[in-house]
Amino acid sequence: MFIKLLSYLGDNEQQIPVWININSISSIRSYEHGSSLTKVTYNINQSILVIAKPKAIIEKINKHRYDKL
């Protein structure tokens, strides 16, 4: 199962959508206190900055895992 997130490349750069396998995610942490950026670590040691709060990402993962009709 994959979730779609928007990567952060810089203030004046366009955000690029990325698809990440939720089973490969090992860490979801705030990048800076009060920031809307989150550092997602996946595939053991790869990480990406995304534009989302950690809570929103966790809710998205839980929805994919548990909301099966």
Side-chain angles (χ1 to χ4, degrees):
M1 290 186 265
F2 291 83
I3 58 170
K4 180 180 167 185
L5 301 169
L6 291 175
S7 68
Y8 177 78
L9 301 173
D11 289 333
N12 298 320
E13 300 293 326
Q14 182 178 0
Q15 291 83 28
I16 298 173
V18 292
W19 292 90
I20 298 178
N21 184 337
I22 63 173
N23 294 322
S24 70
I25 296 174
S26 58
S27 173
I28 300 171
R29 299 176 188 230
S30 276
Y31 182 64
E32 292 177 348
H33 183 69
S35 171
S36 64
L37 298 177
T38 300
K39 181 179 178 181
V40 177
T41 303
Y42 61 100
N43 290 345
I44 300 173
N45 63 354
Q46 296 177 329
S47 61
I48 188 169
L49 281 179
V50 296
I51 301 171
K53 297 275 187 184
K55 183 177 178 181
I57 296 171
I58 292 167
E59 288 172 353
K60 192 180 249 191
I61 290 171
N62 287 340
K63 182 178 179 184
H64 280 285
R65 283 188 176 154
Y66 305 116
D67 288 352
K68 297 179 183 177
L69 299 175

